[in-house]
Amino acid sequence: MLNDNQTVPLLETVELRKLFKLKGGSNLHAVDGINMKIYAGKTLGVVGESGCGKSTLGRTILKLLEPTSGQILFEGNDITKYSVSKMRPVRKDMQIIFQDPYSCIDPRKSVIEIISEYMFIHKLYKSRVETFNKAAGLMDMVGLARRYANSYPHELDGGRRQRIGIARALSLNPKFIVCDEPVSALDVSVQAQNLNLLMDIQDELGLAYMFVTHDLSVVKHISDDIMVMYLGKCVERATSDELFANPQHPYTKALLAAIPKPDIRMRNKEFQLIKGEVSSPVNVKPGCRFASRCDYAVPECSQRDPDFVETSPEHFVACYIVNGR
Amino acid sequence: MAHTEIQNILEIRDLKVIYKTDLEVVEAVNGLDLTIGKGKTLGLVGETGAGKTTTALSILKLLPSITGRILQGEIYFDGEDILKKSEHDMQSVRGNRISMVFQDPMTSLNPVLTVGDQIAEAVQLHNPDMSKEQINERVAATLNMVGIMPSRSGDYPHQFSGGMKQRVVIAMALSCEPELLIADEPTTALDVTIQAQVLTMIRELRDRLGTSMLMITHDLGIVAQTCDDVAVMYSGIIIEAGTAEDIFLGDKHHPYTVGLFNSIPNLDIKSDRLNPITGLMPDPTNLPKGCVFAPRCNHQMEICLEARPGVFEEGTHKIRCYLFSEAAGNSKAGVDLNAE
Amino acid sequence: MNPQKVESTTVDNFKRPSQTKEIWRRFSKSKGAVIGFVLFSIIAIMLLAADFIVPYEAAIKQDFTQQLAAPSREHFFGTDGYGRDAFARLLHGGRTSLSIALLATFSSAVLGSALGAISGYFGGKVDSFIMRSLDIFMSVPDILFTMAVVYALGANFTNLLFALTLAYFTNYVRLVRSQVLNLAEQDYVEAARAGGSGSTRIILSHIIPNAVGVIIVNTTLNVAKIILYESTLSFLGLGMPPPQPEWGLMLSEAREFMRTAPWLMFFPSAAIVITAASINLMGDGLRDALDPHLKS
């Protein structure tokens, strides 16, 4: 899917790093040297457990957090050092949808005001009426009945509130949206409705998504490519089909095996457990971050960072074992 | 209830619970029937607002006293009707014979007491005669049981990760070897690899101690992996119940159950769109007169809108739907609901 | 669920009642708020029309034949130690007292909230600077501070206002800052930044409206406090220069005659209590009216 190397990716990061300074001078390595490319109209799924830096990555790309080092290229332009005012026009093209349908919208604004907010900021339309008309059009698009226009967020359920967030993100006609766990706070049936909506919108508007989630089964449906993160590092990247058909990194395998399958025929099969818990991202030592939990770890794993090697076309893995050292 | 031999640890009959405020009446549980066999695990599945937690709180008589009210029904625990017990009697049941584990471990742990002290407190409360040494031994054994080094008993809750805290909570719940463990979404707040660890632990402990369990969850995967029996709940009503085989392998299902299964993104099949149930759960302050699922159901018939359907039974499998009832003609019963 | 583009639509179906109308509608639904509003309106009208009810002359004219007269038809609220008409003094004094109290409350609320919002929103060095300066400020007792200001600058309306503002803005800073620290964590603030909002816009349109509840409650409580604080200043001889009437001054003068002419103490006290209560009632109603959660 990424074979067409001639085209410039819509978004690219080069060795992107985000460290948080903690009291006492130590550093928290939230995002630690991420290289990724997202092409127009495609979806990159970013998967990992809590604390792996996936949400920080999404916010750093949008420059909601200042990157520590590395580069962010949007449509070929290096936006890493852009000032707040220089970012403003770029913000129209890159948007974000949040995880928490409760805190992502201002409880004191009505639905139509929330959806119109960005259009007012950028003065996209001449009059208030015109802006509200556009907002109403967006409500139709995300499947929110217009009678909710004057409602306040607390009158709506989580799924509908999430749709307000989606409509707001779409209001500036962006080319790229970071979806930060957009469905994980929702019930399965509503989750499925909203996933379908996001896919329909993508088909219609040709958007690119970076879909951040902890849920592999959700990401499979929506992504063209998937990147698996562990403690700020990317451990494996491949096309969606390839990753599920042929997972290589021990962590990816463990992640897949840990999902409880809704099938009782597999019931007596034990979960393939990985031992221990995610170690601290503070002042990390060199070496594979997963080594302490990995069943296959060899001494080399905790000495030097493994290289990110292309094991088969468009399938990259950072593991000494898989890559034969 | 004249039981010669009690086979069911828990039996709920026609339970109705409302939350009443000055403004409105929320019908949380509307005639619920539930049975858990001794030593069995029942999975109670449903979405937010289905009344799962209300059911659990009713079993412990812990409904918020100002708003919550049990209108009717019986809850037999080991043959005795809990609803007839006094608050004093209930205190010896709670934690001792029935324990509950909540979704967020932090709400069950006191942040200013060490983990060891909290387990010791639970043990002592239910075994007042134990000596200090015996209690300490029990605390160490309990921590060992859930895979935490007993040397950490002097640590405070914030020094543990989410997964470990939930293990401690489960350890506390099991420390008195209750006959029934109610686990309300015990792993929802945890990461998937940690969830797998905790679920494995729950499974092992349950099997070793022979505890009966009510597993409340929205995740059909967890149900498939841990439960013997399943009850699917919707708007305060059990719309389908049976053994795990009935639910996961049977060919007849309530349309809601079918919708629930279709909503889960399937790892094995690559399909572009999911098949969710359209619409939302009905407003619990204003439930439909007929079948609670009828407004969202694509097999809706006229009768569905008029009266609540009865139960269709086939062996252990129970379905509350007109598609299978006599009234609508049994010919419909074989209909393939998966064909959309 | 096919997304459809609708380009031209009418706005009729979401023409909402204007914000002010909506707030007024909710405000007028609360009994307490309406009572407070009516009471306050009566007081305000009486004070504004004081010149037509009883001339200012009566408030300062000393008549030693009429010292400490009990309430009568001639002097509704009696007379004070100098034989001045207490009713006239109450009306004319209320003008000064209330306008100082309202203006000082308003200016301290604006100054304090702005500093608190800036401090909480930007954090870091800005926060440290503001909060440490505030600590210095607060280490001097309020009364000493106000006295120093009034003493240095002289006792008149503007200086009193200035002194009271400085004495009262500090608690708004702390209050609003703690609110903002919490609000700035909300995703909608980040969403506003992602949409290109600048800091000023975020503070004005997302942070302040969500913190407005606590600001209003604090403000309404402060009006009464400031009226009483004025009386303390008057008592120390730092209030409005005599013979100008003022509620606080009347109270401290009446203290002398508490046993012989208790009405002199009663009427100004009642005036302060009623005014404060009416403002508190209005404040509660306003806070609820501004909160869409309670809309119905």
Side-chain angles (χ1 to χ4, degrees), chain A residues 18-87:
Chain A
K18 174 68 193 172
L19 311 182
F20 291 101
K21 289 235 181 306
L22 301 180
K23 277 180 187 155
S26 44
N27 285 319
L28 189 148
H29 295 241
V31 173
D32 206 354
I34 295 288
N35 295 298
M36 60 178 223
K37 290 186 176 115
I38 299 174
Y39 290 85
K42 299 288 181 197
T43 301
L44 173 72
V46 177
V47 187
E49 294 179 274
S50 46
C52 75
K54 54 191 192 304
S55 290
T56 309
L57 176 64
R59 282 164 169 75
T60 312
I61 286 173
L62 296 182
K63 294 244 304 159
L64 292 172
L65 293 171
E66 280 303 312
T68 310
S69 66
Q71 283 180 304
I72 307 163
L73 303 161
F74 188 73
E75 294 182 309
N77 303 317
D78 186 348
I79 61 166
T80 326
K81 295 273 173 319
Y82 273 24
S83 65
V84 174
S85 54
K86 216 172 165 196
M87 263 314 281

Side-chain angles (χ1 to χ4, degrees), chain A residues 106 109 117, chain C residues 197 200-210:
Chain A
D106 190 334
K109 304 255 185 301
E117 184 186 348
Chain C
S197 284
T200 322
R201 193 184 179 112
I202 290 176
I203 291 178
L204 290 181
S205 96
H206 293 290
I207 303 244
I208 295 284
N210 279 290

Side-chain angles (χ1 to χ4, degrees), chain B residues 32 76-77 98 103 109 118 125 131 140 152 166 181-182 227 229 253 255 294 311:
Chain B
L32 172 125
Y76 292 100
F77 171 65
I98 309 178
Q103 176 175 343
L109 290 173
Q118 296 189 53
L125 198 63
S131 71
R152 294 201 63 181
Q166 195 60 294
L181 176 70
I182 303 175
C227 301
D229 299 306
H253 290 298
V311 179

Side-chain angles (χ1 to χ4, degrees), chain B residues 22-168:
Chain B
D22 293 342
L23 297 174
E24 56 192 13
V25 176
V26 174
E27 297 178 72
V29 176
N30 305 296
L32 172 125
D33 297 291
L34 205 70
T35 326
I36 305 178
K38 271 202 172 145
K40 297 280 184 187
T41 298
L42 174 79
L44 185 59
V45 193
E47 297 179 85
T48 314
K52 295 169 294 178
T53 302
T54 304
T55 307
L57 294 176
S58 307
I59 297 170
L60 288 166
K61 291 229 278 186
L62 282 176
L63 288 170
S65 56
I66 301 168
T67 52
R69 223 156 285 169
I70 296 177
L71 286 191
Q72 66 175 65
E74 290 125 46
I75 301 177
Y76 292 100
F77 171 65
D78 205 20
E80 292 174 79
D81 191 347
I82 275 186
L83 298 181
K84 295 208 174 81
K85 281 185 190 281
S86 68
E87 176 59 25
H88 182 259
D89 289 342
M90 276 313 290
Q91 283 174 3
S92 63
V93 172
R94 283 182 213 133
N96 213 3
R97 302 184 65 194
I98 309 178
S99 283
M100 185 156 173
V101 174
F102 295 90
Q103 176 175 343
D104 180 0
M106 228 26 230
T107 58
S108 325
L109 290 173
N110 185 339
V112 298
L113 288 181
T114 67
V115 162
D117 285 348
Q118 296 189 53
I119 300 174
E121 195 187 327
V123 173
Q124 196 182 17
L125 198 63
H126 299 289
N127 304 286
D129 305 328
M130 270 193 177
S131 71
K132 215 166 185 174
E133 287 74 40
Q134 279 176 306
I135 288 176
N136 284 343
E137 257 170 49
R138 188 80 174 262
V139 169
T142 308
L143 283 174
N144 250 333
M145 180 171 83
V146 292
I148 294 173
M149 303 272 279
S151 58
R152 294 201 63 181
S153 68
D155 287 355
Y156 289 90
H158 72 267
Q159 291 166 294
F160 290 85
S161 67
M164 287 172 111
K165 272 184 277 201
Q166 195 60 294
R167 283 160 189 249
V168 170

